[in-house]
Amino acid sequence: MKNDSLGKYNILVTSAGVGTAINVIKSLKSSSRFDLRVYSSDQDPDASGLFLSDHSFLTPNSSSPVFLEKIAKIVSDYKIDFIFPNHSSEILLFSKNLSFFQDLGVGLVLPSVEAVETCSNKKNFLSFLVDNDFSFPKTYSHLDEVSNFPVFI
């Protein structure tokens, strides 16, 4: 990381409008242990987290071909040390491009590609639960499979 010996860090929180991002921004801003400068980004100019951070950026949707390029420019221009991706649409993208950001000297707080792909697909997640002997409620694929009510949906 660029600033680790100084105890000062520049943090980018993406998808600043989602509840998780707002909580992350508030938690980082309340830190007394580190000297943090919190940056945020979102595609919506009215995203509430943009107004909670020290500096904010408008970025395209994560499905845009220029999204990563825009994030990389922010990283370079503002010497970002860590990125906290917060929306499910971004987490897989950042996970798949981890080495790109590591080459830029940026730390990312996120799960592995395998974990994201498992948890973001209900069938994959159910298979993971079965394969690893986890207990879970009875699961149905179609309503006509339900013979006893009530059921949780």
Side-chain angles (χ1 to χ4, degrees), residues 70-91:
K70 176 71 173 176
I71 297 295
K73 180 155 177 44
I74 293 168
V75 165
S76 175
D77 290 352
Y78 293 87
K79 298 178 177 33
I80 300 297
D81 297 296
F82 294 97
I83 300 174
F84 283 79
N86 285 284
H87 193 271
S88 58
S89 66
E90 295 176 348
I91 293 173

Side-chain angles (χ1 to χ4, degrees), residues 104-131:
L104 294 175
V106 178
L108 281 148
V109 181
L110 46 75
S112 68
V113 171
E114 180 184 43
V116 175
E117 288 176 341
T118 298
C119 294
S120 62
N121 179 294
K122 291 177 184 177
K123 275 188 165 180
N124 291 349
F125 187 65
L126 182 60
S127 293
F128 174 83
L129 294 175
V130 169
D131 293 347

Side-chain angles (χ1 to χ4, degrees), residues 34-104:
F34 298 101
D35 183 7
L36 303 177
R37 185 147 173 94
V38 180
Y39 298 83
S40 62
S41 68
D42 200 282
Q43 66 180 357
D44 180 358
D46 296 322
S48 54
L50 297 177
F51 301 97
L52 298 173
S53 58
D54 298 309
H55 193 79
S56 61
F57 310 95
L58 289 179
T59 52
N61 185 289
S62 62
S63 63
S64 167
V66 299
F67 176 77
L68 289 178
E69 180 182 313
K70 176 71 173 176
I71 297 295
K73 180 155 177 44
I74 293 168
V75 165
S76 175
D77 290 352
Y78 293 87
K79 298 178 177 33
I80 300 297
D81 297 296
F82 294 97
I83 300 174
F84 283 79
N86 285 284
H87 193 271
S88 58
S89 66
E90 295 176 348
I91 293 173
L92 183 59
L93 180 66
F94 278 102
S95 289
K96 287 182 174 181
N97 289 280
L98 181 61
S99 63
F100 170 75
F101 286 101
Q102 287 174 331
D103 289 346
L104 294 175

